[in-house]
Amino acid sequence: MALFEYFPNYVWNLSVSIAVESGARIGEIIDMCKPLREAAENGDDAGTDEFLLQWVKMADKLIGLADEDEAAGCYFSAGSKLKRAALYLMVAERMQGQGHPNRMATWNKAQSTFRKSILLSQDNCEYVEVPLENGGTMPALYVRAPGDGPHPTVVYCNGLDSCKEMLYWSNLPQALAKRGISTLCVDQPGTGETLRTYGLPAVANSEVWASKAIDWLEQKNDVDTARIGMTGISLGGHFAPRAVAFEPRFAAGAVWGANHNWAEVQQKRLKREGENPVPHYWAHVMWVFGATNMEDFFAKAEGMTLNGVMEKIKVPFLVTHGEKDRQINLDYAYQSYDQLVNSPNREFKIFTEREGGVEHVGADNMSFGCDYIADWFAKTLGGKKG
């Protein structure tokens, strides 16, 4: 496998790879991980307290160094260090079980650090809030295409355990901006700030919140409302197709990792078939879906299949998947593609060992998925490829 296998278990290695692909420095990775080798031997869940301590320690060091840069007027350098500090805090927080006493404090520190990094770096990234039903809020990051609009725009959603900042760090918004397409990275219900700050759990019918994202975009004079697409990573491979199928204002859709029958995947995970994305997995999914117990969770997840949904998609759609995805079997990607019978332009891309990006959502190398999806949206929504 191409994943960076520093630890003896997949879940910990996935977190390290997410960090590497999001802009970590290998020397800092080694410094944080070397003291954790023994703790990782005890399984996915044990030792996550120690993981938090080591990664927060590095983040605090970088924040201190950034403070020195800022005091010297070196704002770009400070912003660069704060970006990595925010990343390490978010990865550390993601590894903790729900209810961990330091989890929310770590998350809040990560948020403030990220926003300061964007400000000092003068990055093309604006924090916005999308109104939801019943007075709820969906925080998001808006990355604008350069030049005068209106521009095509892509709504980009999380998987089960990511957040809008990780979507931003995936480099897809930057790749789309270069191609003349803006991006709205959303913390949809059940993820990121929407879950942690506002307590809004995930819902299977993603068109409810995706429609609100379009409502928000339609108020922007720099958005071409006839050219709005949607994509998502991991569990977003369920949410994005579902939204495109039931929200007619979407002009195109794509998935970075197909997730055709998530309900079935949960039954397989009960039998220890396939890898989990985070430690403390069952506590995590119950938190995400607002379930009181396992029975309640399985009831909420029961309808999360795209059987009977993909056929309703009537716009161009791209399905991508890693050949050696250890979380979501490649068979599910074939199922999603085969059922796109009413899409006027359906496309299918499997990332193989020849190029890379073979693991779940390209955790081994996200550059290939990023470029391929950005080029596809440029071709489909009318951006530029060069």
Side-chain angles (χ1 to χ4, degrees), residues 19-258:
V20 169
E21 289 300 303
S22 298
R25 296 298 182 187
I26 192 63
E28 291 167 354
I29 289 285
I30 297 299
D31 286 346
M32 291 185 291
C33 291
K34 195 171 182 180
L36 298 172
R37 292 292 287 269
E38 185 175 343
E41 298 282 353
N42 298 319
D44 295 352
D45 297 349
T48 52
D49 274 345
E50 294 175 56
F51 191 105
L52 181 79
L53 290 173
Q54 291 298 329
W55 286 57
V56 169
K57 179 181 175 182
M58 178 62 73
D60 285 342
K61 182 178 84 169
L62 289 168
I63 290 169
L65 292 169
D67 288 343
E68 294 174 14
D69 286 339
E70 187 179 5
C74 301
Y75 301 128
F76 291 149
S77 295
S80 177
K81 293 178 179 67
L82 289 176
K83 171 197 169 181
R84 298 202 307 281
L87 169 62
Y88 299 154
L89 290 167
M90 287 183 192
V91 171
E93 186 270 347
R94 179 183 170 276
M95 285 282 285
Q96 305 310 304
Q98 173 53 8
H100 187 282
N102 292 324
R103 184 167 198 177
M104 198 63 196
T106 305
W107 171 261
N108 289 335
K109 189 174 187 177
Q111 286 292 301
S112 61
T113 303
F114 174 82
R115 292 184 201 180
K116 188 173 182 180
S117 78
I118 293 297
L119 179 67
L120 293 179
S121 300
Q122 299 181 26
D123 284 351
N124 172 20
C125 181
E126 179 187 356
Y127 177 85
V128 301
E129 293 186 344
V130 176
L132 297 175
E133 292 180 337
N134 304 318
T137 296
M138 180 167 64
L141 299 174
Y142 188 42
V143 179
R144 289 178 171 84
D148 296 331
H151 296 289
T153 303
V154 170
V155 178
Y156 186 14
C157 74
N158 289 309
L160 177 71
D161 48 85
S162 56
C163 56
K164 63 189 180 301
E165 292 79 16
M166 290 180 176
L167 298 181
Y168 176 72
W169 288 326
S170 75
N171 203 47
L172 181 59
Q174 294 86 337
L176 286 168
K178 185 179 289 188
R179 291 160 174 81
I181 301 171
S182 298
T183 305
L184 184 68
C185 304
V186 300
D187 271 345
Q188 77 267 16
T191 67
E193 280 190 273
T194 307
L195 175 64
R196 290 161 176 81
T197 302
Y198 297 107
L200 298 179
V203 293
N205 52 338
S206 54
E207 66 274 14
V208 173
W209 50 261
S211 295
K212 295 300 181 182
I214 292 187
D215 290 347
W216 186 87
L217 289 170
E218 286 182 335
Q219 305 306 309
K220 306 288 291 182
N221 58 16
D222 58 343
V223 173
D224 184 341
T225 58
R227 294 188 292 165
I228 298 177
M230 183 165 183
T231 191
I233 62 171
S234 191
L235 187 53
H238 168 86
F239 291 133
R242 165 99 197 187
V244 172
F246 290 103
E247 171 47 81
R249 289 177 291 176
F250 281 117
V255 295
W256 196 344

Side-chain angles (χ1 to χ4, degrees), residues 40 53 84 87 105 139 150 186 211 287 300 307 324 327 359 383:
L53 290 173
R84 298 202 307 281
L87 169 62
V186 300
S211 295
W287 175 46
K300 293 177 185 295
N307 289 325
K324 296 186 176 180
Q327 291 186 46
E359 292 279 356

